[in-house]
Protein backbone atom coordinates (compact mmCIF):
# COMPACT_ATOMS: atom_id res chain seq x y z
CA UNK A 1 0.00 0.00 0.00
CA UNK A 2 1.58 3.30 -1.03
CA UNK A 3 0.80 6.92 -0.34
CA UNK A 4 -2.65 8.15 -1.12
CA UNK A 5 -4.49 11.43 -0.81
CA UNK A 6 -3.01 12.18 2.63
CA UNK A 7 0.52 11.12 1.71
CA UNK A 8 1.93 14.55 1.09
CA UNK A 9 -0.28 16.24 3.64
CA UNK A 10 0.53 13.85 6.50
CA UNK A 11 3.00 16.15 8.21
CA UNK A 12 0.65 19.11 7.86
CA UNK A 13 -2.22 17.19 9.41
CA UNK A 14 -0.09 16.18 12.39
CA UNK A 15 0.73 19.87 12.85
CA UNK A 16 -2.92 20.85 12.47
CA UNK A 17 -3.85 18.26 15.09
CA UNK A 18 -1.29 19.74 17.47
CA UNK A 19 -2.57 23.26 16.71
CA UNK A 20 -6.31 22.72 16.85
CA UNK A 21 -7.05 19.74 19.10
CA UNK A 22 -7.35 20.09 22.86
CA UNK A 23 -4.19 18.55 24.20
CA UNK A 24 -5.63 15.57 26.08
CA UNK A 25 -3.56 12.74 24.58
CA UNK A 26 0.18 11.99 24.51
CA UNK A 27 0.08 11.11 20.82
CA UNK A 28 2.75 9.23 18.88
CA UNK A 29 3.93 11.25 15.88
CA UNK A 30 2.27 9.27 13.08
CA UNK A 31 -0.97 9.75 11.17
CA UNK A 32 -2.72 6.39 10.86
CA UNK A 33 -4.52 6.21 7.58
CA UNK A 34 -5.60 2.67 6.86
CA UNK A 35 -5.97 -0.66 8.57
CA UNK A 36 -6.52 -4.27 7.60
CA UNK A 37 -6.41 -7.21 9.98
CA UNK A 38 -3.57 -6.65 12.44
CA UNK A 39 -1.85 -4.08 10.24
CA UNK A 40 -2.15 -0.32 9.88
CA UNK A 41 -0.45 2.10 7.50
CA UNK A 42 0.57 5.69 8.16
CA UNK A 43 0.44 8.66 5.83
CA UNK A 44 3.92 7.94 4.48
CA UNK A 45 2.82 4.45 3.46
CA UNK A 46 4.74 2.80 6.30
CA UNK A 47 3.28 -0.45 7.63
CA UNK A 48 2.91 -1.29 11.34
CA UNK A 49 1.77 -4.39 13.21
CA UNK A 50 -0.84 -3.22 15.67
CA UNK A 51 -0.50 -4.65 19.18
CA UNK A 52 -2.67 -1.86 20.63
CA UNK A 53 -5.80 -2.64 18.63
CA UNK A 54 -7.38 0.72 19.40
CA UNK A 55 -6.83 -0.17 23.09
CA UNK A 56 -8.81 -3.41 23.02
CA UNK A 57 -11.35 -2.15 20.48
CA UNK A 58 -10.49 -3.86 17.19
CA UNK A 59 -10.79 -7.45 18.41
CA UNK A 60 -11.67 -8.72 14.91
CA UNK A 61 -8.85 -6.70 13.37
CA UNK A 62 -9.16 -3.54 11.33
CA UNK A 63 -11.87 -3.23 8.70
CA UNK A 64 -13.15 -6.79 9.08
CA UNK A 65 -15.36 -7.61 6.04
CA UNK A 66 -18.32 -8.56 8.25
CA UNK A 67 -18.12 -5.21 10.02
CA UNK A 68 -17.92 -3.34 6.71
CA UNK A 69 -20.83 -5.32 5.30
CA UNK A 70 -23.03 -4.67 8.35
CA UNK A 71 -22.15 -0.96 8.31
CA UNK A 72 -22.84 -0.56 4.60
CA UNK A 73 -26.09 -2.46 4.64
CA UNK A 74 -27.44 -0.74 7.73
CA UNK A 75 -26.32 2.71 6.55
CA UNK A 76 -28.48 2.24 3.46
CA UNK A 77 -31.46 1.10 5.50
CA UNK A 78 -31.58 3.25 8.68
CA UNK A 79 -28.80 5.06 10.55
CA UNK A 80 -30.69 6.59 13.42
CA UNK A 81 -34.03 6.16 15.08
CA UNK A 82 -35.18 7.55 18.42
CA UNK A 83 -35.59 5.18 21.33
CA UNK A 84 -39.21 6.33 21.37
CA UNK A 85 -39.63 3.46 18.87
CA UNK A 86 -38.42 -0.14 18.71
CA UNK A 87 -35.14 -0.68 16.86
CA UNK A 88 -34.59 -4.10 15.28
CA UNK A 89 -30.80 -4.55 15.58
CA UNK A 90 -30.91 -3.18 19.15
CA UNK A 91 -33.39 -5.86 20.19
CA UNK A 92 -31.34 -8.52 18.37
CA UNK A 93 -28.07 -7.50 20.02
CA UNK A 94 -29.72 -7.41 23.44
CA UNK A 95 -31.06 -10.94 22.91
CA UNK A 96 -27.69 -12.24 21.73
CA UNK A 97 -25.82 -10.69 24.70
CA UNK A 98 -28.30 -12.25 27.10
CA UNK A 99 -28.15 -15.65 25.37
CA UNK A 100 -24.38 -15.74 25.78
CA UNK A 101 -24.12 -14.41 29.34
CA UNK A 102 -25.93 -14.48 32.68
CA UNK A 103 -27.86 -11.39 31.54
CA UNK A 104 -31.59 -10.90 31.04
CA UNK A 105 -31.88 -7.19 30.18
CA UNK A 106 -29.63 -4.71 28.37
CA UNK A 107 -29.38 -0.91 28.27
CA UNK A 108 -27.36 0.58 25.39
CA UNK A 109 -25.29 3.75 25.35
CA UNK A 110 -22.22 4.98 23.46
CA UNK A 111 -19.03 4.47 25.48
CA UNK A 112 -17.48 2.74 28.44
CA UNK A 113 -17.79 5.68 30.80
CA UNK A 114 -21.48 5.99 29.93
CA UNK A 115 -22.04 2.28 30.50
CA UNK A 116 -20.52 2.66 33.96
CA UNK A 117 -22.64 5.74 34.66
CA UNK A 118 -25.73 3.68 33.91
CA UNK A 119 -24.46 0.87 36.18
CA UNK A 120 -23.85 3.33 39.04
CA UNK A 121 -27.29 4.87 38.61
CA UNK A 122 -29.02 1.48 38.42
CA UNK A 123 -27.21 0.19 41.52
CA UNK A 124 -28.24 3.26 43.51
CA UNK A 125 -31.84 3.18 42.32
CA UNK A 126 -32.17 -0.55 42.97
CA UNK A 127 -30.78 -0.20 46.49
CA UNK A 128 -33.02 2.77 47.23
CA UNK A 129 -36.15 0.97 46.10
CA UNK A 130 -35.29 -2.25 47.87
CA UNK A 131 -33.59 -1.10 51.02
CA UNK A 132 -34.54 2.56 51.50
CA UNK A 133 -32.76 5.86 51.08
CA UNK A 134 -29.46 5.38 52.85
CA UNK A 135 -27.81 2.74 50.65
CA UNK A 136 -25.84 4.48 47.94
CA UNK A 137 -22.14 3.78 48.48
CA UNK A 138 -20.10 1.78 45.96
CA UNK A 139 -16.85 0.03 46.81
CA UNK A 140 -14.30 0.05 43.97
CA UNK A 141 -10.66 -0.99 43.71
CA UNK A 142 -7.30 0.74 43.95
CA UNK A 143 -5.74 0.99 40.48
CA UNK A 144 -9.11 0.53 38.81
CA UNK A 145 -10.18 2.47 35.75
CA UNK A 146 -13.81 3.14 34.92
CA UNK A 147 -13.77 6.20 32.66
CA UNK A 148 -13.53 9.99 32.67
CA UNK A 149 -17.07 11.28 33.26
CA UNK A 150 -17.60 12.52 36.82
CA UNK A 151 -19.35 9.39 38.11
CA UNK A 152 -17.00 6.94 36.38
CA UNK A 153 -14.01 9.08 37.38
CA UNK A 154 -15.16 9.03 41.00
CA UNK A 155 -15.41 5.23 40.77
CA UNK A 156 -11.86 5.07 39.42
CA UNK A 157 -9.42 4.24 42.22
CA UNK A 158 -6.44 6.25 40.97
CA UNK A 159 -5.75 9.69 42.40
CA UNK A 160 -3.73 10.79 39.39
CA UNK A 161 -6.95 10.88 37.34
CA UNK A 162 -8.86 12.79 40.05
CA UNK A 163 -6.37 15.61 40.44
CA UNK A 164 -7.81 19.00 39.51
CA UNK A 165 -11.38 17.74 39.11
CA UNK A 166 -12.46 17.66 42.74
CA UNK A 167 -14.97 17.62 44.30
CA UNK A 168 -15.72 14.14 43.05
CA UNK A 169 -19.10 12.47 43.25
CA UNK A 170 -19.50 11.34 46.87
CA UNK A 171 -20.22 7.72 47.75
CA UNK A 172 -17.15 5.77 46.58
CA UNK A 173 -14.72 3.82 48.77
CA UNK A 174 -11.53 2.29 47.39
CA UNK A 175 -9.96 -0.95 48.59
CA UNK A 176 -7.01 -3.02 47.32
CA UNK A 177 -7.78 -5.29 44.34
CA UNK A 178 -7.87 -9.04 44.99
CA UNK A 179 -8.31 -8.61 48.74
CA UNK A 180 -11.62 -10.06 49.87
CA UNK A 181 -11.10 -9.07 53.50
CA UNK A 182 -10.61 -5.45 52.53
CA UNK A 183 -14.02 -5.51 50.82
CA UNK A 184 -15.57 -7.22 53.81
CA UNK A 185 -14.19 -4.53 56.13
CA UNK A 186 -15.32 -1.71 53.84
CA UNK A 187 -18.95 -2.85 53.57
CA UNK A 188 -21.17 -0.72 55.81
CA UNK A 189 -24.83 0.18 56.20
CA UNK A 190 -24.63 2.56 53.20
CA UNK A 191 -23.01 0.12 50.75
CA UNK A 192 -25.13 -0.69 47.70
CA UNK A 193 -22.58 -2.32 45.36
CA UNK A 194 -19.05 -3.49 44.67
CA UNK A 195 -17.62 -2.58 41.28
CA UNK A 196 -14.56 -4.34 39.84
CA UNK A 197 -12.79 -5.11 36.58
CA UNK A 198 -12.42 -8.93 36.54
CA UNK A 199 -8.89 -8.26 35.24
CA UNK A 200 -7.54 -4.73 35.68
CA UNK A 201 -6.42 -3.23 32.37
CA UNK A 202 -5.22 0.37 32.77
CA UNK A 203 -4.09 -0.52 36.30
CA UNK A 204 -1.30 -2.71 34.88
CA UNK A 205 -2.91 -5.98 33.67
CA UNK A 206 -3.63 -7.34 37.15
CA UNK A 207 -5.24 -10.77 37.43
CA UNK A 208 -7.27 -11.85 40.47
CA UNK A 209 -6.51 -15.03 42.40
CA UNK A 210 -8.65 -17.92 41.17
CA UNK A 211 -11.39 -17.68 43.85
CA UNK A 212 -11.54 -13.93 44.37
CA UNK A 213 -14.53 -13.16 42.14
CA UNK A 214 -16.51 -16.11 43.46
CA UNK A 215 -15.85 -14.99 47.04
CA UNK A 216 -16.84 -11.48 46.06
CA UNK A 217 -20.13 -12.73 44.62
CA UNK A 218 -20.86 -14.77 47.74
CA UNK A 219 -20.06 -11.81 49.97
CA UNK A 220 -22.32 -9.53 47.92
CA UNK A 221 -25.18 -12.04 48.10
CA UNK A 222 -24.73 -12.43 51.82
CA UNK A 223 -24.77 -8.64 52.37
CA UNK A 224 -27.55 -8.06 49.81
CA UNK A 225 -25.48 -5.73 47.67
CA UNK A 226 -24.89 -5.79 43.93
CA UNK A 227 -21.77 -6.98 42.16
CA UNK A 228 -20.83 -4.92 39.09
CA UNK A 229 -18.19 -6.08 36.60
CA UNK A 230 -16.58 -3.58 34.29
CA UNK A 231 -15.77 -5.81 31.28
CA UNK A 232 -15.19 -2.86 28.99
CA UNK A 233 -11.57 -3.80 28.29
CA UNK A 234 -11.59 -7.54 28.95
CA UNK A 235 -15.01 -8.52 27.58
CA UNK A 236 -15.92 -9.59 24.03
CA UNK A 237 -13.37 -12.36 23.77
CA UNK A 238 -10.23 -10.52 24.88
CA UNK A 239 -9.32 -13.16 27.49
CA UNK A 240 -10.20 -16.18 25.33
CA UNK A 241 -13.76 -16.51 26.67
CA UNK A 242 -16.55 -14.19 25.56
CA UNK A 243 -16.58 -12.53 29.00
CA UNK A 244 -13.70 -12.58 31.47
CA UNK A 245 -15.93 -13.53 34.41
CA UNK A 246 -16.62 -16.87 32.66
CA UNK A 247 -13.11 -18.01 33.61
CA UNK A 248 -14.02 -17.64 37.25
CA UNK A 249 -17.55 -19.07 37.34
CA UNK A 250 -18.85 -16.00 39.18
CA UNK A 251 -21.48 -13.96 37.33
CA UNK A 252 -22.26 -10.42 38.46
CA UNK A 253 -25.60 -8.60 38.80
CA UNK A 254 -24.51 -5.88 36.38
CA UNK A 255 -21.85 -5.99 33.64
CA UNK A 256 -20.66 -3.11 31.49
CA UNK A 257 -19.32 -3.44 27.93
CA UNK A 258 -18.08 -0.99 25.30
CA UNK A 259 -14.78 -0.84 23.33
CA UNK A 260 -14.84 -3.93 21.07
CA UNK A 261 -18.58 -4.57 21.21
CA UNK A 262 -18.88 -3.08 17.71
CA UNK A 263 -15.18 -3.33 16.81
CA UNK A 264 -14.71 0.44 16.58
CA UNK A 265 -18.18 1.81 16.01
CA UNK A 266 -18.99 3.68 19.25
CA UNK A 267 -21.26 1.70 21.56
CA UNK A 268 -21.66 0.86 25.24
CA UNK A 269 -23.91 -1.57 27.04
CA UNK A 270 -25.02 -2.45 30.53
CA UNK A 271 -26.19 -6.01 30.95
CA UNK A 272 -28.20 -6.95 34.05
CA UNK A 273 -30.80 -9.30 35.48
CA UNK A 274 -34.56 -9.01 35.17
CA UNK A 275 -34.87 -8.32 38.89
CA UNK A 276 -32.28 -5.54 39.05
CA UNK A 277 -33.48 -3.99 35.76
CA UNK A 278 -36.90 -3.44 37.30
CA UNK A 279 -35.48 -0.49 39.25
CA UNK A 280 -35.43 1.48 35.98
CA UNK A 281 -38.66 2.58 34.35
CA UNK A 282 -39.39 5.00 31.48
CA UNK A 283 -37.68 8.28 32.34
CA UNK A 284 -35.08 6.76 34.74
CA UNK A 285 -32.27 6.82 32.21
CA UNK A 286 -31.80 7.41 28.49
CA UNK A 287 -29.40 8.12 25.64
CA UNK A 288 -30.23 9.72 22.29
CA UNK A 289 -27.73 7.64 20.34
CA UNK A 290 -27.73 4.62 22.67
CA UNK A 291 -28.46 1.40 20.81
CA UNK A 292 -28.76 3.14 17.45
CA UNK A 293 -29.37 0.88 14.43
CA UNK A 294 -25.88 1.31 12.98
CA UNK A 295 -23.87 0.46 16.09
CA UNK A 296 -26.10 -2.39 17.21
CA UNK A 297 -26.25 -3.95 13.76
CA UNK A 298 -22.44 -3.99 13.75
CA UNK A 299 -22.50 -5.35 17.32
CA UNK A 300 -24.58 -8.31 16.07
CA UNK A 301 -22.08 -8.95 13.25
CA UNK A 302 -19.18 -8.76 15.71
CA UNK A 303 -20.74 -11.22 18.13
CA UNK A 304 -21.65 -13.65 15.34
CA UNK A 305 -18.11 -13.48 13.93
CA UNK A 306 -16.42 -13.87 17.31
CA UNK A 307 -18.45 -16.96 18.10
CA UNK A 308 -18.70 -18.40 14.59
CA UNK A 309 -15.15 -18.09 13.30
CA UNK A 310 -13.22 -19.85 16.09
CA UNK A 311 -11.74 -16.52 17.11
CA UNK A 312 -11.89 -17.26 20.84
CA UNK A 313 -9.85 -20.43 20.21
CA UNK A 314 -7.25 -18.41 18.31
CA UNK A 315 -7.16 -15.90 21.17
CA UNK A 316 -6.48 -18.67 23.70
CA UNK A 317 -3.78 -20.32 21.57
CA UNK A 318 -2.06 -17.10 20.55
CA UNK A 319 -2.32 -15.77 24.10
CA UNK A 320 -0.40 -18.77 25.40
CA UNK A 321 2.11 -18.56 22.57
CA UNK A 322 2.73 -14.86 23.17
CA UNK A 323 2.94 -15.25 26.94
CA UNK A 324 5.50 -18.06 26.56
CA UNK A 325 7.59 -15.88 24.23
CA UNK A 326 7.53 -12.98 26.68
CA UNK A 327 8.40 -15.29 29.58
CA UNK A 328 11.44 -16.44 27.56
CA UNK A 329 12.50 -12.80 27.25
CA UNK A 330 12.02 -12.40 31.01
CA UNK A 331 14.43 -15.29 31.56
CA UNK A 332 17.03 -13.43 29.54
CA UNK A 333 16.55 -9.90 30.84
CA UNK A 334 16.48 -9.25 34.59
CA UNK A 335 14.87 -5.86 34.10
CA UNK A 336 11.62 -7.59 33.09
CA UNK A 337 10.08 -7.99 36.52
CA UNK A 338 6.93 -9.85 35.59
CA UNK A 339 4.92 -11.12 32.63
CA UNK A 340 1.22 -11.78 33.14
CA UNK A 341 -2.01 -11.99 31.21
CA UNK A 342 -4.99 -14.00 30.07
CA UNK A 343 -5.77 -14.60 26.42
CA UNK A 344 -4.60 -11.55 24.52
CA UNK A 345 -4.40 -8.98 27.29
CA UNK A 346 -0.79 -9.31 28.37
CA UNK A 347 1.47 -7.09 30.44
CA UNK A 348 5.25 -7.10 30.83
CA UNK A 349 6.32 -5.11 33.88
CA UNK A 350 9.71 -3.43 33.60
CA UNK A 351 12.06 -2.03 36.21
CA UNK A 352 12.12 1.25 34.33
CA UNK A 353 9.66 3.45 32.42
CA UNK A 354 8.42 1.81 29.22
CA UNK A 355 8.00 4.96 27.12
CA UNK A 356 11.33 4.48 25.36
CA UNK A 357 10.49 0.86 24.48
CA UNK A 358 7.17 1.99 23.00
CA UNK A 359 9.04 4.57 20.88
CA UNK A 360 11.65 2.04 19.73
CA UNK A 361 8.88 -0.39 18.76
CA UNK A 362 7.18 2.35 16.74
CA UNK A 363 10.44 3.02 14.90
CA UNK A 364 10.63 -0.69 14.09
CA UNK A 365 7.03 -0.81 12.82
CA UNK A 366 5.10 -2.06 15.87
CA UNK A 367 2.38 -0.30 17.83
CA UNK A 368 2.51 -1.24 21.52
CA UNK A 369 1.29 0.54 24.64
CA UNK A 370 2.52 1.17 28.16
CA UNK A 371 0.33 1.64 31.22
CA UNK A 372 1.16 2.60 34.83
CA UNK A 373 4.45 3.94 33.40
CA UNK A 374 6.24 0.59 33.58
CA UNK A 375 3.89 -2.07 32.24
CA UNK A 376 4.15 -2.75 28.51
CA UNK A 377 0.63 -3.72 27.54
CA UNK A 378 -0.22 -5.85 24.52
CA UNK A 379 -3.80 -5.92 23.18
CA UNK A 380 -3.55 -7.18 19.60
CA UNK A 381 -6.57 -8.12 17.51
CA UNK A 382 -7.72 -11.62 18.42
CA UNK A 383 -6.99 -12.77 14.85
CA UNK A 384 -3.24 -12.24 15.34
CA UNK A 385 -1.00 -15.05 14.03
CA UNK A 386 2.07 -16.72 15.56
CA UNK A 387 4.19 -15.28 12.73
CA UNK A 388 3.10 -11.75 13.63
CA UNK A 389 3.79 -12.41 17.31
CA UNK A 390 7.25 -13.77 16.39
CA UNK A 391 8.03 -10.53 14.56
CA UNK A 392 7.24 -8.45 17.64
CA UNK A 393 9.14 -10.81 19.96
CA UNK A 394 12.20 -10.55 17.70
CA UNK A 395 11.96 -6.75 17.69
CA UNK A 396 11.62 -6.65 21.48
CA UNK A 397 14.61 -8.98 21.83
CA UNK A 398 16.67 -6.61 19.70
CA UNK A 399 15.52 -3.54 21.62
CA UNK A 400 16.13 -5.16 25.01
CA UNK A 401 19.58 -6.39 23.96
CA UNK A 402 20.59 -2.78 23.19
CA UNK A 403 19.99 -1.66 26.76
C1 LIG B 1 -12.08 -1.03 32.18
C2 LIG B 1 -12.49 0.25 31.52
N1 LIG B 1 -13.62 0.86 31.91
C3 LIG B 1 -14.03 2.00 31.33
C4 LIG B 1 -13.31 2.60 30.33
C5 LIG B 1 -13.80 3.87 29.70
O1 LIG B 1 -14.27 3.64 28.43
P1 LIG B 1 -14.50 4.88 27.41
O2 LIG B 1 -13.17 5.45 27.09
O3 LIG B 1 -15.20 4.25 26.24
O4 LIG B 1 -15.39 5.85 28.12
C6 LIG B 1 -12.12 2.00 29.90
C7 LIG B 1 -11.29 2.64 28.85
O5 LIG B 1 -10.11 2.41 28.74
C8 LIG B 1 -11.69 0.80 30.51
O6 LIG B 1 -10.57 0.19 30.14
Amino acid sequence: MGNDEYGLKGENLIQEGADFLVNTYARNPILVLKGKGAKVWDSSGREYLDFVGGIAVCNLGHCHPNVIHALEEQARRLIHCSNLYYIGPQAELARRLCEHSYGEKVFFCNSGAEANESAIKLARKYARERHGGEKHEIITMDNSFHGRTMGALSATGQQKFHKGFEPLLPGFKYVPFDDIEAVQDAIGPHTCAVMVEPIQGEGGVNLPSPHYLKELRNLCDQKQILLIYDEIQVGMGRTGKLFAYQHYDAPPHIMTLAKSLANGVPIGAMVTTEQVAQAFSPGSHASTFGGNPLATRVGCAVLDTLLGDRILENCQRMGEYFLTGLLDLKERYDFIKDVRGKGLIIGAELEFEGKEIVERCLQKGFLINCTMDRVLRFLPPLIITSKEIDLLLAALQEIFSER
Side-chain angles (χ1 to χ4, degrees):
M1 189 179 293
N3 290 358
D4 66 6
E5 73 271 27
Y6 280 166
L8 295 173
K9 289 203 321 194
E11 300 248 318
N12 291 350
L13 286 169
I14 287 173
Q15 190 55 50
E16 278 183 16
D19 289 345
F20 291 105
L21 294 169
V22 176
N23 188 22
T24 51
Y25 305 98
R27 295 180 196 265
N28 291 284
I30 62 168
L31 181 82
V32 179
L33 210 58
K34 287 183 181 175
K36 187 152 183 55
K39 291 179 182 157
V40 295
W41 288 266
D42 74 8
S43 51
S44 71
R46 177 133 200 249
E47 182 179 298
Y48 301 83
L49 267 178
D50 184 2
F51 283 79
V52 177
I55 311 198
V57 168
C58 306
N59 284 9
L60 299 181
H62 294 279
C63 299
H64 190 285
N66 296 358
V67 170
I68 296 171
H69 178 74
L71 263 176
E72 282 181 349
E73 216 182 62
Q74 190 60 44
R76 270 190 220 103
R77 196 176 300 171
L78 184 69
I79 292 176
H80 180 74
C81 173
S82 164
N83 279 306
L84 292 173
Y85 310 95
Y86 282 94
I87 296 169
Q90 184 183 122
E92 281 189 49
L93 183 56
R95 175 178 55 74
R96 278 170 167 83
L97 287 172
C98 292
E99 274 173 7
H100 294 287
S101 74
Y102 74 96
E104 292 163 335
K105 293 276 185 188
V106 183
F107 173 82
F108 287 107
C109 50
N110 312 287
S111 69
E114 272 181 73
N116 285 336
E117 293 292 336
S118 55
I120 292 165
K121 284 180 72 177
L122 181 62
R124 283 190 171 185
K125 189 110 189 319
Y126 177 78
R128 182 142 301 176
E129 290 187 358
R130 216 171 161 84
H131 305 289
E134 295 307 311
K135 271 188 180 255
H136 65 275
E137 223 168 60
I138 300 182
I139 296 169
T140 69
M141 306 299 148
D142 292 341
N143 294 328
S144 58
F145 185 81
H146 299 296
R148 307 287 192 147
T149 52
M150 286 309 294
L153 181 68
S154 306
T156 293
Q158 297 195 58
Q159 271 186 357
K160 69 180 184 213
F161 295 119
H162 297 165
K163 242 176 151 184
F165 300 109
E166 300 90 348
L168 300 177
L169 188 71
F172 291 92
K173 258 192 199 170
Y174 316 110
V175 300
F177 178 64
D178 199 27
D179 182 342
I180 192 73
E181 276 160 26
V183 180
Q184 208 154 8
D185 292 347
I187 293 174
H190 301 313
T191 311
C192 76
V194 175
M195 183 166 176
V196 61
E197 296 156 81
I199 294 171
Q200 290 188 328
E202 301 301 309
V205 189
N206 304 318
L207 279 77
S209 349
H211 302 297
Y212 174 64
L213 294 179
K214 196 137 199 193
E215 286 168 0
L216 212 46
R217 172 69 203 231
N218 290 340
L219 182 60
C220 287
D221 285 347
Q222 195 189 323
K223 300 282 183 184
Q224 292 197 304
I225 58 183
L226 298 181
L227 180 57
I228 305 170
Y229 288 160
D230 178 337
E231 290 242 9
I232 287 160
Q233 189 160 144
V234 294
M236 301 308 293
R238 174 59 48 192
T239 65
K241 288 194 190 269
L242 189 56
F243 303 111
Y245 80 81
Q246 291 168 336
H247 291 282
Y248 302 100
D249 190 26
H253 301 96
I254 300 175
M255 168 172 77
T256 53
L257 301 170
K259 285 195 180 280
S260 58
L261 181 51
N263 213 60
V265 178
I267 188 170
M270 178 194 67
V271 181
T272 188
T273 61
E274 174 85 47
Q275 186 186 327
V276 176
Q278 277 175 15
F280 273 180
S281 54
S284 301
H285 197 47
S287 164
T288 295
F289 293 126
N292 69 78
L294 203 62
T296 47
R297 175 71 199 282
V298 177
C300 289
V302 168
L303 204 48
D304 290 349
T305 309
L306 264 182
L307 297 171
D309 287 4
R310 304 183 67 81
I311 287 172
L312 299 181
E313 287 91 327
N314 190 64
C315 174
Q316 284 166 15
R317 271 191 305 114
M318 290 304 109
E320 275 165 33
Y321 184 80
F322 196 3
L323 198 71
T324 307
L326 287 168
L327 284 167
D328 282 349
L329 286 177
K330 179 175 173 287
E331 288 294 298
R332 256 177 278 173
Y333 299 101
D334 286 347
F335 55 74
I336 304 178
K337 281 174 64 183
D338 192 24
V339 169
R340 52 187 180 255
K342 206 167 199 64
L344 284 167
I345 173 166
I346 302 183
E349 187 172 345
L350 307 175
E351 258 172 15
F352 48 85
E353 294 206 352
K355 192 166 174 270
E356 182 200 322
I357 308 291
V358 173
E359 284 165 9
R360 291 285 292 120
C361 279
L362 188 72
Q363 286 159 7
K364 285 180 173 290
F366 298 90
L367 307 188
I368 70 162
N369 172 255
C370 180
T371 189
M372 297 301 271
D373 297 331
R374 289 168 180 230
V375 182
L376 300 180
R377 181 176 43 166
F378 306 99
L379 298 157
L382 311 184
I383 46 120
I384 197 90
T385 63
S386 55
K387 267 191 193 150
E388 290 166 333
I389 291 170
D390 284 344
L391 289 171
L392 175 65
L393 289 171
L396 284 172
Q397 148 81 32
E398 218 173 287
I399 294 165
F400 289 154
S401 70
E402 289 162 5
R403 280 191 64 90

